[in-house]
Amino acid sequence: MDERNAIGVVGGLGPYAGLDLVKKVFDNTAASTDQQHLPVVLISYPGHFPDRSAYVADQSKPSPVPALVEVLRRLDDVGCAIAGMPCNTAHAPVIYDALTEAMEREGRTIRLISIIEACAEAARRRDPSIRRVGVLATSSSLKGRLHSIALEQIGLEGVRPDWDYQEAVLNPVIFDETWGLKAQSDPPTEEARNRLLDGIRHLRERGADAVILGCTELPLAVPEPEFEGVPIIDSTDALARALIRATHPDKLKPLPEALAEKAEG
Amino acid sequence: MDERNAIGVVGGLGPYAGLDLVKKVFDNTAASTDQQHLPVVLISYPGHFPDRSAYVADQSKPSPVPALVEVLRRLDDVGCAIAGMPCNTAHAPVIYDALTEAMEREGRTIRLISIIEACAEAARRRDPSIRRVGVLATSSSLKGRLHSIALEQIGLEGVRPDWDYQEAVLNPVIFDETWGLKAQSDPPTEEARNRLLDGIRHLRERGADAVILGCTELPLAVPEPEFEGVPIIDSTDALARALIRATHPDKLKPLPEALAEKAEG
Protein backbone atom coordinates (compact mmCIF):
# COMPACT_ATOMS: atom_id res chain seq x y z
CA MET A 1 0.00 0.00 0.00
CA ASP A 2 3.06 2.22 -0.29
CA GLU A 3 2.76 2.74 -4.02
CA ARG A 4 1.45 6.16 -5.02
CA ASN A 5 -0.99 4.83 -7.56
CA ALA A 6 -4.46 5.63 -6.26
CA ILE A 7 -7.05 7.54 -8.26
CA GLY A 8 -8.39 10.53 -6.33
CA VAL A 9 -11.89 11.92 -6.68
CA VAL A 10 -12.67 15.47 -5.63
CA GLY A 11 -16.21 14.89 -4.41
CA GLY A 12 -18.95 17.12 -3.11
CA LEU A 13 -19.55 19.07 -6.33
CA GLY A 14 -22.23 17.74 -5.73
CA PRO A 15 -22.04 14.58 -3.63
CA TYR A 16 -23.75 12.28 -6.13
CA ALA A 17 -21.50 13.41 -8.99
CA GLY A 18 -18.49 12.29 -6.93
CA LEU A 19 -20.17 8.97 -6.23
CA ASP A 20 -21.02 8.57 -9.92
CA LEU A 21 -17.37 9.12 -10.89
CA VAL A 22 -16.20 6.42 -8.46
CA LYS A 23 -18.84 4.05 -9.85
CA LYS A 24 -17.77 4.77 -13.42
CA VAL A 25 -14.11 4.12 -12.53
CA PHE A 26 -15.16 0.72 -11.14
CA ASP A 27 -17.47 0.01 -14.10
CA ASN A 28 -14.73 0.83 -16.63
CA THR A 29 -12.13 -1.37 -14.91
CA ALA A 30 -11.41 -4.80 -16.34
CA ALA A 31 -11.65 -6.88 -13.15
CA SER A 32 -13.20 -10.24 -12.39
CA THR A 33 -12.38 -10.28 -8.66
CA ASP A 34 -12.52 -7.64 -5.92
CA GLN A 35 -8.76 -7.73 -5.64
CA GLN A 36 -8.28 -6.76 -9.30
CA HIS A 37 -10.07 -3.43 -8.84
CA LEU A 38 -8.10 -0.18 -8.68
CA PRO A 39 -7.28 1.87 -5.59
CA VAL A 40 -9.63 4.87 -5.40
CA VAL A 41 -10.03 7.60 -2.79
CA LEU A 42 -13.10 9.86 -2.68
CA ILE A 43 -13.09 12.98 -0.51
CA SER A 44 -16.57 14.49 -0.45
CA TYR A 45 -16.72 17.77 1.50
CA PRO A 46 -19.83 19.37 0.02
CA GLY A 47 -20.27 21.99 2.73
CA HIS A 48 -17.18 23.89 1.68
CA PHE A 49 -17.77 24.70 -1.97
CA PRO A 50 -19.55 27.94 -2.85
CA ASP A 51 -21.36 28.13 -6.20
CA ARG A 52 -18.88 27.70 -9.06
CA SER A 53 -20.84 29.51 -11.77
CA ALA A 54 -21.27 32.57 -9.53
CA TYR A 55 -17.53 32.74 -8.83
CA VAL A 56 -16.60 32.25 -12.49
CA ALA A 57 -18.87 35.19 -13.41
CA ASP A 58 -17.69 37.46 -10.61
CA GLN A 59 -14.51 36.84 -8.67
CA SER A 60 -15.57 39.12 -5.84
CA LYS A 61 -17.99 36.30 -4.90
CA PRO A 62 -16.90 33.54 -2.45
CA SER A 63 -14.20 31.37 -4.06
CA PRO A 64 -14.30 27.57 -4.10
CA VAL A 65 -10.51 27.51 -4.70
CA PRO A 66 -9.21 27.31 -1.09
CA ALA A 67 -11.47 24.35 -0.23
CA LEU A 68 -10.63 22.57 -3.49
CA VAL A 69 -6.90 23.07 -2.85
CA GLU A 70 -7.36 21.55 0.61
CA VAL A 71 -9.11 18.49 -0.83
CA LEU A 72 -6.33 18.02 -3.39
CA ARG A 73 -3.72 18.28 -0.61
CA ARG A 74 -5.48 15.53 1.32
CA LEU A 75 -5.79 13.31 -1.76
CA ASP A 76 -2.06 13.84 -2.32
CA ASP A 77 -1.26 13.08 1.34
CA VAL A 78 -3.23 9.86 1.21
CA GLY A 79 -1.36 8.51 -1.82
CA CYS A 80 -3.19 9.60 -4.97
CA ALA A 81 -1.13 9.97 -8.14
CA ILE A 82 -3.91 11.72 -10.01
CA ALA A 83 -7.28 13.23 -9.32
CA GLY A 84 -10.49 13.99 -11.17
CA MET A 85 -13.02 16.68 -10.32
CA PRO A 86 -16.48 15.76 -11.63
CA CYS A 87 -17.71 19.32 -12.28
CA ASN A 88 -17.27 20.80 -15.74
CA THR A 89 -17.99 24.36 -14.59
CA ALA A 90 -15.17 24.18 -12.03
CA HIS A 91 -12.75 23.65 -14.94
CA ALA A 92 -12.95 27.33 -15.91
CA PRO A 93 -9.33 28.63 -15.89
CA VAL A 94 -10.05 30.98 -12.98
CA ILE A 95 -10.61 27.89 -10.81
CA TYR A 96 -8.79 25.05 -12.57
CA ASP A 97 -5.55 26.91 -13.25
CA ALA A 98 -5.50 28.15 -9.66
CA LEU A 99 -5.65 24.51 -8.49
CA THR A 100 -2.89 23.19 -10.74
CA GLU A 101 -0.71 26.20 -9.86
CA ALA A 102 -1.26 25.65 -6.14
CA MET A 103 -0.21 21.98 -6.42
CA GLU A 104 2.90 22.97 -8.39
CA ARG A 105 3.81 25.77 -5.99
CA GLU A 106 3.59 23.34 -3.08
CA GLY A 107 5.76 20.80 -4.88
CA ARG A 108 2.99 18.19 -4.81
CA THR A 109 3.08 15.43 -7.38
CA ILE A 110 -0.67 14.80 -7.65
CA ARG A 111 -1.84 15.54 -11.18
CA LEU A 112 -5.34 16.83 -11.91
CA ILE A 113 -6.89 15.25 -15.02
CA SER A 114 -9.21 17.64 -16.89
CA ILE A 115 -12.78 16.49 -17.43
CA ILE A 116 -12.97 18.92 -20.36
CA GLU A 117 -9.99 17.38 -22.16
CA ALA A 118 -11.37 13.93 -21.30
CA CYS A 119 -14.64 14.81 -23.08
CA ALA A 120 -12.83 15.99 -26.22
CA GLU A 121 -10.64 12.89 -26.20
CA ALA A 122 -13.68 10.64 -25.74
CA ALA A 123 -15.38 12.22 -28.77
CA ARG A 124 -12.26 11.62 -30.87
CA ARG A 125 -11.97 8.00 -29.75
CA ARG A 126 -15.66 7.29 -30.15
CA ASP A 127 -15.64 7.59 -33.92
CA PRO A 128 -12.84 9.01 -36.10
CA SER A 129 -15.42 10.48 -38.51
CA ILE A 130 -16.70 12.89 -35.84
CA ARG A 131 -15.59 16.45 -36.61
CA ARG A 132 -18.14 18.84 -35.11
CA VAL A 133 -19.11 18.21 -31.50
CA GLY A 134 -22.13 19.80 -29.85
CA VAL A 135 -21.92 20.85 -26.21
CA LEU A 136 -24.71 20.86 -23.63
CA ALA A 137 -23.44 22.58 -20.49
CA THR A 138 -24.03 25.43 -18.06
CA SER A 139 -24.08 28.90 -19.62
CA SER A 140 -20.96 29.54 -17.51
CA SER A 141 -19.03 26.71 -19.24
CA LEU A 142 -20.28 27.73 -22.69
CA LYS A 143 -19.38 31.42 -22.24
CA GLY A 144 -15.88 30.34 -21.26
CA ARG A 145 -15.74 28.09 -24.38
CA LEU A 146 -14.25 25.38 -22.13
CA HIS A 147 -15.16 22.39 -24.29
CA SER A 148 -14.70 24.20 -27.61
CA ILE A 149 -11.12 25.15 -26.77
CA ALA A 150 -10.30 21.55 -25.78
CA LEU A 151 -11.94 20.22 -28.95
CA GLU A 152 -9.97 22.68 -31.13
CA GLN A 153 -6.74 21.58 -29.47
CA ILE A 154 -7.21 18.09 -30.92
CA GLY A 155 -8.47 19.24 -34.31
CA LEU A 156 -12.23 19.05 -33.68
CA GLU A 157 -14.79 21.83 -33.65
CA GLY A 158 -17.25 22.76 -30.90
CA VAL A 159 -20.89 23.58 -31.62
CA ARG A 160 -22.81 25.51 -28.97
CA PRO A 161 -26.56 26.14 -28.73
CA ASP A 162 -28.00 29.42 -29.92
CA TRP A 163 -27.59 31.82 -26.95
CA ASP A 164 -31.26 32.74 -26.52
CA TYR A 165 -32.19 29.05 -26.64
CA GLN A 166 -29.44 28.23 -24.12
CA GLU A 167 -30.62 30.81 -21.61
CA ALA A 168 -34.36 30.21 -22.06
CA VAL A 169 -34.47 26.44 -22.56
CA LEU A 170 -31.25 24.66 -21.58
CA ASN A 171 -29.59 26.41 -18.61
CA PRO A 172 -32.79 25.99 -16.52
CA VAL A 173 -32.54 22.21 -17.05
CA ILE A 174 -29.71 22.32 -14.52
CA PHE A 175 -30.70 25.20 -12.28
CA ASP A 176 -34.49 25.58 -12.27
CA GLU A 177 -35.50 25.37 -8.63
CA THR A 178 -38.64 23.37 -9.30
CA TRP A 179 -37.95 20.90 -12.07
CA GLY A 180 -34.19 21.37 -12.74
CA LEU A 181 -31.70 18.55 -12.16
CA LYS A 182 -30.06 20.13 -9.11
CA ALA A 183 -33.49 20.35 -7.48
CA GLN A 184 -34.88 17.01 -8.61
CA SER A 185 -32.80 14.23 -10.05
CA ASP A 186 -34.09 10.95 -8.63
CA PRO A 187 -35.95 10.55 -10.88
CA PRO A 188 -35.37 13.58 -13.10
CA THR A 189 -38.48 15.38 -14.36
CA GLU A 190 -39.90 14.78 -17.83
CA GLU A 191 -39.47 18.53 -18.42
CA ALA A 192 -35.70 18.28 -17.89
CA ARG A 193 -35.33 15.21 -20.12
CA ASN A 194 -37.50 16.59 -22.91
CA ARG A 195 -35.59 19.85 -23.02
CA LEU A 196 -32.27 18.00 -23.22
CA LEU A 197 -33.48 15.74 -26.02
CA ASP A 198 -34.68 18.84 -27.85
CA GLY A 199 -31.25 20.36 -27.18
CA ILE A 200 -29.54 17.38 -28.83
CA ARG A 201 -31.76 17.84 -31.92
CA HIS A 202 -31.00 21.58 -31.87
CA LEU A 203 -27.24 20.91 -31.87
CA ARG A 204 -27.59 18.34 -34.67
CA GLU A 205 -29.41 20.96 -36.74
CA ARG A 206 -26.49 23.29 -36.09
CA GLY A 207 -24.15 20.67 -37.55
CA ALA A 208 -23.06 18.52 -34.59
CA ASP A 209 -21.96 14.92 -35.38
CA ALA A 210 -21.97 14.04 -31.66
CA VAL A 211 -22.96 15.73 -28.40
CA ILE A 212 -21.02 16.11 -25.16
CA LEU A 213 -23.16 16.17 -22.01
CA GLY A 214 -20.74 18.69 -20.51
CA CYS A 215 -22.24 18.91 -17.03
CA THR A 216 -22.24 15.97 -14.63
CA GLU A 217 -25.94 16.40 -13.87
CA LEU A 218 -27.08 15.84 -17.46
CA PRO A 219 -26.60 12.05 -17.77
CA LEU A 220 -29.10 11.65 -14.92
CA ALA A 221 -31.79 12.63 -17.41
CA VAL A 222 -30.19 11.26 -20.59
CA PRO A 223 -28.28 8.08 -19.70
CA GLU A 224 -28.29 6.60 -23.21
CA PRO A 225 -25.02 6.56 -25.19
CA GLU A 226 -26.78 7.54 -28.43
CA PHE A 227 -29.99 9.40 -29.27
CA GLU A 228 -31.62 9.44 -32.72
CA GLY A 229 -28.31 8.37 -34.22
CA VAL A 230 -26.26 11.07 -32.42
CA PRO A 231 -23.43 9.66 -30.28
CA ILE A 232 -23.59 11.08 -26.75
CA ILE A 233 -20.51 11.60 -24.57
CA ASP A 234 -21.10 11.49 -20.78
CA SER A 235 -18.45 13.75 -19.22
CA THR A 236 -18.21 11.69 -16.01
CA ASP A 237 -17.70 8.47 -17.95
CA ALA A 238 -15.09 10.20 -20.14
CA LEU A 239 -13.23 11.37 -17.01
CA ALA A 240 -13.38 7.90 -15.42
CA ARG A 241 -11.79 6.37 -18.53
CA ALA A 242 -9.14 9.12 -18.68
CA LEU A 243 -8.22 8.47 -15.02
CA ILE A 244 -7.81 4.73 -15.63
CA ARG A 245 -5.91 5.31 -18.88
CA ALA A 246 -3.50 7.69 -17.10
CA THR A 247 -2.63 5.31 -14.27
CA HIS A 248 -3.53 1.72 -15.19
CA PRO A 249 -3.99 1.58 -18.98
CA ASP A 250 -3.90 -2.24 -18.94
CA LYS A 251 -6.98 -2.22 -16.70
CA LEU A 252 -9.17 -0.07 -19.00
CA LYS A 253 -12.18 -2.07 -20.13
CA PRO A 254 -12.79 -1.86 -23.89
CA LEU A 255 -15.80 0.26 -24.88
CA PRO A 256 -18.98 -1.79 -25.26
CA GLU A 257 -19.06 -3.44 -28.67
CA ALA A 258 -21.90 -1.27 -29.92
CA LEU A 259 -19.87 1.88 -29.27
CA ALA A 260 -16.48 0.53 -30.23
CA GLU A 261 -17.46 -0.62 -33.72
CA LYS A 262 -15.66 2.19 -35.46
CA ALA A 263 -13.36 3.27 -32.69
CA GLU A 264 -10.88 2.59 -29.91
CA GLY A 265 -9.75 -0.87 -28.84
CA MET B 1 -12.51 22.07 6.84
CA ASP B 2 -10.57 21.77 10.07
CA GLU B 3 -13.32 20.08 12.02
CA ARG B 4 -12.82 16.38 12.60
CA ASN B 5 -16.33 15.44 11.61
CA ALA B 6 -16.05 13.40 8.43
CA ILE B 7 -17.52 9.92 8.04
CA GLY B 8 -14.92 7.43 6.84
CA VAL B 9 -15.67 4.40 4.69
CA VAL B 10 -13.27 1.45 4.60
CA GLY B 11 -13.80 0.49 0.97
CA GLY B 12 -12.58 -2.34 -1.20
CA LEU B 13 -14.32 -5.19 0.67
CA GLY B 14 -15.46 -5.32 -2.19
CA PRO B 15 -15.35 -2.07 -4.10
CA TYR B 16 -19.09 -1.86 -4.81
CA ALA B 17 -19.98 -2.46 -1.15
CA GLY B 18 -17.92 0.63 -0.24
CA LEU B 19 -19.66 2.64 -2.94
CA ASP B 20 -23.04 1.40 -1.74
CA LEU B 21 -22.30 2.52 1.83
CA VAL B 22 -21.38 6.03 0.63
CA LYS B 23 -24.59 6.16 -1.42
CA LYS B 24 -26.66 5.04 1.56
CA VAL B 25 -25.05 7.71 3.76
CA PHE B 26 -26.06 10.33 1.16
CA ASP B 27 -29.54 8.81 0.73
CA ASN B 28 -30.18 8.80 4.49
CA THR B 29 -29.07 12.43 4.95
CA ALA B 30 -31.73 15.12 5.24
CA ALA B 31 -30.36 17.62 2.71
CA SER B 32 -32.04 19.73 0.06
CA THR B 33 -28.84 21.32 -1.32
CA ASP B 34 -25.37 19.96 -2.11
CA GLN B 35 -23.92 22.06 0.69
CA GLN B 36 -26.13 20.43 3.33
CA HIS B 37 -24.67 16.97 2.67
CA LEU B 38 -22.19 15.43 5.11
CA PRO B 39 -18.43 15.15 4.71
CA VAL B 40 -17.53 11.61 3.66
CA VAL B 41 -14.21 9.99 2.77
CA LEU B 42 -14.00 6.63 0.98
CA ILE B 43 -10.69 4.79 0.76
CA SER B 44 -11.03 1.80 -1.55
CA TYR B 45 -7.87 -0.31 -1.74
CA PRO B 46 -9.27 -3.65 -2.91
CA GLY B 47 -5.94 -5.15 -3.93
CA HIS B 48 -4.73 -5.38 -0.34
CA PHE B 49 -7.39 -7.45 1.39
CA PRO B 50 -7.00 -11.22 1.46
CA ASP B 51 -10.14 -13.32 1.88
CA ARG B 52 -11.78 -12.55 5.24
CA SER B 53 -13.63 -15.85 5.71
CA ALA B 54 -10.44 -17.83 5.09
CA TYR B 55 -8.53 -15.85 7.71
CA VAL B 56 -11.34 -16.09 10.27
CA ALA B 57 -11.32 -19.89 9.86
CA ASP B 58 -7.54 -20.25 9.98
CA GLN B 59 -5.25 -17.52 11.25
CA SER B 60 -2.23 -19.02 9.58
CA LYS B 61 -3.76 -17.74 6.30
CA PRO B 62 -2.89 -14.21 5.01
CA SER B 63 -4.36 -11.58 7.34
CA PRO B 64 -6.39 -8.60 6.15
CA VAL B 65 -5.60 -6.78 9.43
CA PRO B 66 -2.44 -4.86 8.44
CA ALA B 67 -4.05 -3.39 5.31
CA LEU B 68 -7.25 -2.52 7.19
CA VAL B 69 -5.23 -0.81 9.92
CA GLU B 70 -3.44 1.22 7.25
CA VAL B 71 -6.75 2.35 5.71
CA LEU B 72 -8.05 3.37 9.15
CA ARG B 73 -4.84 5.34 9.77
CA ARG B 74 -5.35 7.22 6.52
CA LEU B 75 -9.01 7.92 7.28
CA ASP B 76 -7.91 9.25 10.67
CA ASP B 77 -5.16 11.39 9.10
CA VAL B 78 -7.60 12.90 6.64
CA GLY B 79 -10.02 14.04 9.33
CA CYS B 80 -12.56 11.26 9.92
CA ALA B 81 -14.16 11.07 13.38
CA ILE B 82 -15.67 7.66 12.72
CA ALA B 83 -15.49 4.91 10.15
CA GLY B 84 -17.64 2.11 8.86
CA MET B 85 -16.47 -1.10 7.23
CA PRO B 86 -19.13 -2.57 4.94
CA CYS B 87 -18.23 -6.23 5.39
CA ASN B 88 -20.04 -8.26 8.04
CA THR B 89 -17.55 -11.13 7.92
CA ALA B 90 -14.67 -8.75 8.72
CA HIS B 91 -16.40 -7.96 12.03
CA ALA B 92 -15.33 -11.30 13.50
CA PRO B 93 -13.42 -10.48 16.73
CA VAL B 94 -10.16 -11.84 15.30
CA ILE B 95 -10.24 -8.99 12.75
CA TYR B 96 -12.49 -6.32 14.28
CA ASP B 97 -10.94 -6.35 17.75
CA ALA B 98 -7.46 -6.22 16.22
CA LEU B 99 -8.48 -3.03 14.40
CA THR B 100 -9.97 -1.23 17.36
CA GLU B 101 -7.01 -2.27 19.51
CA ALA B 102 -4.54 -0.97 16.90
CA MET B 103 -6.29 2.43 16.78
CA GLU B 104 -6.27 2.64 20.58
CA ARG B 105 -2.64 1.60 20.86
CA GLU B 106 -1.66 4.30 18.36
CA GLY B 107 -3.68 6.90 20.27
CA ARG B 108 -5.90 7.60 17.28
CA THR B 109 -9.32 9.09 17.92
CA ILE B 110 -11.13 7.57 14.92
CA ARG B 111 -13.93 5.30 16.13
CA LEU B 112 -15.02 2.23 14.18
CA ILE B 113 -18.80 1.76 14.14
CA SER B 114 -19.83 -1.91 14.04
CA ILE B 115 -22.06 -3.01 11.16
CA ILE B 116 -23.17 -5.93 13.34
CA GLU B 117 -24.37 -3.72 16.19
CA ALA B 118 -25.94 -1.40 13.61
CA CYS B 119 -28.00 -4.34 12.25
CA ALA B 120 -29.24 -5.30 15.72
CA GLU B 121 -30.07 -1.68 16.51
CA ALA B 122 -31.91 -1.30 13.17
CA ALA B 123 -34.05 -4.37 13.95
CA ARG B 124 -34.94 -2.93 17.36
CA ARG B 125 -35.84 0.48 15.90
CA ARG B 126 -37.77 -0.99 13.00
CA ASP B 127 -40.57 -2.35 15.14
CA PRO B 128 -40.60 -2.74 18.93
CA SER B 129 -42.62 -5.95 18.64
CA ILE B 130 -39.71 -7.74 16.92
CA ARG B 131 -38.10 -10.26 19.27
CA ARG B 132 -36.55 -13.04 17.19
CA VAL B 133 -34.37 -11.93 14.30
CA GLY B 134 -33.28 -14.25 11.52
CA VAL B 135 -29.81 -13.87 10.03
CA LEU B 136 -28.72 -14.54 6.47
CA ALA B 137 -24.93 -14.29 6.28
CA THR B 138 -21.77 -16.14 5.36
CA SER B 139 -21.20 -19.41 7.20
CA SER B 140 -18.17 -17.68 8.70
CA SER B 141 -20.32 -14.95 10.32
CA LEU B 142 -22.92 -17.49 11.49
CA LYS B 143 -20.36 -19.82 13.04
CA GLY B 144 -18.97 -16.85 14.97
CA ARG B 145 -22.53 -15.93 16.07
CA LEU B 146 -21.66 -12.30 15.22
CA HIS B 147 -25.21 -11.05 14.78
CA SER B 148 -26.73 -13.27 17.47
CA ILE B 149 -24.35 -11.91 20.12
CA ALA B 150 -25.15 -8.30 19.14
CA LEU B 151 -28.89 -9.07 19.16
CA GLU B 152 -28.65 -10.70 22.61
CA GLN B 153 -26.81 -7.63 23.94
CA ILE B 154 -29.92 -5.53 23.31
CA GLY B 155 -32.41 -8.14 24.48
CA LEU B 156 -33.30 -9.71 21.12
CA GLU B 157 -32.73 -13.26 19.93
CA GLY B 158 -30.92 -14.43 16.81
CA VAL B 159 -32.29 -17.19 14.58
CA ARG B 160 -29.88 -18.92 12.20
CA PRO B 161 -30.63 -21.27 9.33
CA ASP B 162 -30.35 -25.02 9.83
CA TRP B 163 -26.64 -25.84 9.28
CA ASP B 164 -27.11 -28.32 6.43
CA TYR B 165 -29.41 -25.87 4.65
CA GLN B 166 -26.91 -23.02 5.23
CA GLU B 167 -24.02 -24.95 3.71
CA ALA B 168 -25.93 -26.51 0.83
CA VAL B 169 -28.30 -23.71 -0.13
CA LEU B 170 -27.37 -20.31 1.36
CA ASN B 171 -23.59 -19.97 1.57
CA PRO B 172 -23.23 -20.65 -2.18
CA VAL B 173 -25.52 -17.63 -2.84
CA ILE B 174 -22.52 -15.50 -1.95
CA PHE B 175 -19.60 -17.65 -3.07
CA ASP B 176 -20.68 -19.92 -5.94
CA GLU B 177 -18.26 -19.16 -8.75
CA THR B 178 -20.89 -19.37 -11.48
CA TRP B 179 -24.12 -17.88 -10.18
CA GLY B 180 -23.13 -16.51 -6.74
CA LEU B 181 -23.28 -12.81 -5.93
CA LYS B 182 -19.51 -12.30 -5.82
CA ALA B 183 -19.27 -13.74 -9.32
CA GLN B 184 -22.36 -12.11 -10.83
CA SER B 185 -24.21 -9.25 -9.23
CA ASP B 186 -25.24 -6.87 -12.00
CA PRO B 187 -27.83 -8.19 -12.38
CA PRO B 188 -27.83 -11.00 -9.81
CA THR B 189 -28.94 -14.41 -11.03
CA GLU B 190 -32.47 -15.74 -10.45
CA GLU B 191 -30.84 -18.68 -8.67
CA ALA B 192 -29.28 -16.37 -6.07
CA ARG B 193 -32.50 -14.43 -5.51
CA ASN B 194 -34.70 -17.49 -5.29
CA ARG B 195 -32.45 -19.16 -2.74
CA LEU B 196 -32.44 -16.03 -0.57
CA LEU B 197 -36.23 -15.69 -0.70
CA ASP B 198 -36.46 -19.33 0.27
CA GLY B 199 -33.99 -18.59 3.07
CA ILE B 200 -36.26 -15.83 4.40
CA ARG B 201 -39.19 -18.28 4.47
CA HIS B 202 -36.96 -20.87 6.15
CA LEU B 203 -36.03 -18.39 8.91
CA ARG B 204 -39.66 -17.38 9.37
CA GLU B 205 -40.57 -21.03 9.84
CA ARG B 206 -37.84 -21.21 12.48
CA GLY B 207 -39.56 -18.34 14.32
CA ALA B 208 -37.98 -15.16 12.95
CA ASP B 209 -40.09 -11.95 13.15
CA ALA B 210 -37.63 -10.11 10.88
CA VAL B 211 -34.53 -10.97 8.85
CA ILE B 212 -31.13 -9.30 8.75
CA LEU B 213 -29.34 -9.48 5.40
CA GLY B 214 -26.03 -9.78 7.22
CA CYS B 215 -23.70 -9.69 4.24
CA THR B 216 -23.34 -6.60 2.07
CA GLU B 217 -23.78 -8.62 -1.12
CA LEU B 218 -27.27 -9.86 -0.25
CA PRO B 219 -29.32 -6.67 -0.84
CA LEU B 220 -28.13 -6.78 -4.46
CA ALA B 221 -30.50 -9.72 -4.96
CA VAL B 222 -33.15 -8.74 -2.38
CA PRO B 223 -33.45 -4.95 -2.33
CA GLU B 224 -36.97 -4.81 -0.89
CA PRO B 225 -37.45 -3.70 2.76
CA GLU B 226 -40.07 -6.39 3.39
CA PHE B 227 -40.87 -9.81 1.88
CA GLU B 228 -44.12 -11.71 2.46
CA GLY B 229 -44.70 -9.59 5.54
CA VAL B 230 -41.22 -10.17 7.01
CA PRO B 231 -39.29 -6.92 7.67
CA ILE B 232 -35.84 -7.07 6.06
CA ILE B 233 -32.81 -5.23 7.47
CA ASP B 234 -30.11 -4.29 4.93
CA SER B 235 -26.81 -4.26 6.85
CA THR B 236 -25.27 -1.51 4.70
CA ASP B 237 -28.29 0.73 5.17
CA ALA B 238 -28.22 0.05 8.92
CA LEU B 239 -24.53 1.01 9.06
CA ALA B 240 -25.12 4.19 7.03
CA ARG B 241 -27.81 5.29 9.49
CA ALA B 242 -25.62 4.42 12.48
CA LEU B 243 -22.75 6.51 11.04
CA ILE B 244 -25.02 9.54 10.57
CA ARG B 245 -26.64 9.06 13.99
CA ALA B 246 -23.19 8.94 15.64
CA THR B 247 -21.89 12.15 14.08
CA HIS B 248 -24.78 14.29 12.80
CA PRO B 249 -27.99 13.01 14.43
CA ASP B 250 -29.88 16.15 13.31
CA LYS B 251 -29.16 15.20 9.69
CA LEU B 252 -30.60 11.67 9.88
CA LYS B 253 -33.56 11.36 7.51
CA PRO B 254 -36.62 9.73 9.12
CA LEU B 255 -37.32 6.20 7.94
CA PRO B 256 -39.75 6.08 5.00
CA GLU B 257 -43.31 6.33 6.32
CA ALA B 258 -44.15 2.75 5.41
CA LEU B 259 -41.31 1.45 7.59
CA ALA B 260 -41.58 4.01 10.39
CA GLU B 261 -45.25 3.38 11.17
CA LYS B 262 -44.55 1.55 14.39
CA ALA B 263 -41.02 2.65 15.02
CA GLU B 264 -38.33 5.29 15.27
CA GLY B 265 -38.92 9.02 14.66
Side-chain angles (χ1 to χ4, degrees), chain A residues 29-105:
Chain A
T29 301
S32 57
T33 66
D34 285 357
Q35 283 77 11
Q36 290 168 4
H37 272 278
L38 300 177
V40 174
V41 179
L42 163 72
I43 297 188
S44 182
Y45 281 165
H48 299 278
F49 302 122
D51 186 275
R52 282 77 73 192
S53 291
Y55 177 72
V56 171
D58 174 1
Q59 281 112 64
S60 71
K61 292 269 167 68
S63 169
V65 170
L68 290 169
V69 166
E70 183 55 29
V71 169
L72 285 170
R73 278 187 197 125
R74 294 188 188 195
L75 288 172
D76 184 70
D77 286 344
V78 91
C80 294
I82 59 171
M85 179 167 66
C87 172
N88 289 260
T89 303
H91 283 66
V94 69
I95 299 176
Y96 188 77
D97 292 357
L99 300 180
T100 54
E101 281 158 21
M103 290 301 103
E104 249 175 64
R105 200 169 47 237

Side-chain angles (χ1 to χ4, degrees), chain A residues 82 111 113 241-249:
Chain A
I82 59 171
R111 188 159 62 95
I113 299 285
R241 294 183 65 82
L243 289 165
I244 299 170
R245 192 180 284 115
T247 48
H248 305 81

Side-chain angles (χ1 to χ4, degrees), chain B residues 110-191:
Chain B
I110 192 167
R111 187 159 62 97
L112 199 53
I113 300 285
S114 161
I115 197 171
I116 307 292
E117 290 170 18
C119 286
E121 185 64 19
R124 196 181 61 78
R125 287 176 183 265
R126 179 71 161 270
D127 181 342
S129 75
I130 292 173
R131 295 256 67 87
R132 309 188 73 217
V133 184
V135 182
L136 292 173
T138 59
S139 296
S140 171
S141 293
L142 291 170
K143 279 177 201 147
R145 301 190 71 252
L146 302 188
H147 300 85
S148 291
I149 292 169
L151 287 162
E152 287 159 13
Q153 278 167 348
I154 59 169
L156 302 178
E157 185 186 339
V159 178
R160 62 156 175 80
D162 170 83
W163 282 122
D164 289 344
Y165 180 77
Q166 167 68 20
E167 292 297 344
V169 177
L170 294 174
N171 203 50
V173 168
I174 300 163
F175 295 106
D176 186 275
E177 288 177 14
T178 310
W179 53 266
L181 290 169
K182 282 192 186 285
Q184 198 181 320
S185 66
D186 190 19
T189 59
E190 274 302 297
E191 181 70 27

Side-chain angles (χ1 to χ4, degrees), chain A residues 13-14 17 50-57 86-95 115-116 119 134-148 159-176 180-182 196 203 211-219 235, chain B residues 34:
Chain A
L13 305 158
D51 186 275
R52 282 77 73 192
S53 291
Y55 177 72
V56 171
C87 172
N88 289 260
T89 303
H91 283 66
V94 69
I95 299 176
I115 197 172
I116 308 291
C119 287
V135 183
L136 292 173
T138 60
S139 296
S140 172
S141 293
L142 291 169
K143 278 176 200 146
R145 300 191 72 249
L146 302 189
H147 300 84
S148 290
V159 178
R160 61 157 175 79
D162 169 81
W163 282 122
D164 290 343
Y165 180 78
Q166 167 69 20
E167 291 298 345
V169 177
L170 294 174
N171 203 51
V173 168
I174 300 163
F175 294 107
D176 187 276
L181 290 169
K182 282 192 186 285
L196 285 175
L203 289 168
V211 169
I212 289 171
L213 299 183
C215 168
T216 57
E217 317 272 353
L218 303 182
S235 65
Chain B
D34 284 358

Side-chain angles (χ1 to χ4, degrees), chain B residues 79-96:
Chain B
C80 294
I82 58 171
M85 180 166 67
C87 173
N88 289 261
T89 303
H91 283 67
V94 67
I95 298 176
Y96 188 78

Side-chain angles (χ1 to χ4, degrees), chain A residues 1-3 5-6 12-16 19-20 22-23 26-28 32-52 66-68 70-71 74-75 77-80 182-183 186 217, chain B residues 1-3 5-6 12-16 19-20 22-23 26-28 32-52 66-68 70-71 74-75 77-80 182-183 186 217:
Chain A
M1 202 141 39
D2 294 328
E3 331 96 277
N5 67 351
L13 305 158
Y16 286 95
L19 193 69
D20 194 38
V22 176
K23 178 174 190 301
F26 293 168
D27 289 347
N28 279 290
S32 57
T33 66
D34 285 357
Q35 283 77 11
Q36 290 168 4
H37 272 278
L38 300 177
V40 174
V41 179
L42 163 72
I43 297 188
S44 182
Y45 281 165
H48 299 278
F49 302 122
D51 186 275
R52 282 77 73 192
L68 290 169
E70 183 55 29
V71 169
R74 294 188 188 195
L75 288 172
D77 286 344
V78 91
C80 294
K182 282 192 186 285
D186 190 18
E217 317 272 353
Chain B
M1 202 140 39
D2 294 327
E3 331 97 278
N5 67 351
L13 303 159
Y16 286 95
L19 194 68
D20 195 37
V22 177
K23 179 174 189 300
F26 293 168
D27 288 349
N28 280 290
S32 57
T33 66
D34 284 358
Q35 283 78 11
Q36 290 168 4
H37 272 277
L38 300 177
V40 175
V41 178
L42 163 73
I43 298 188
S44 182
Y45 281 165
H48 299 278
F49 302 122
D51 186 273
R52 282 79 70 193
L68 289 169
E70 181 57 28
V71 169
R74 293 188 189 194
L75 289 172
D77 286 343
V78 90
C80 294
K182 282 192 186 285
D186 190 19
E217 318 272 353

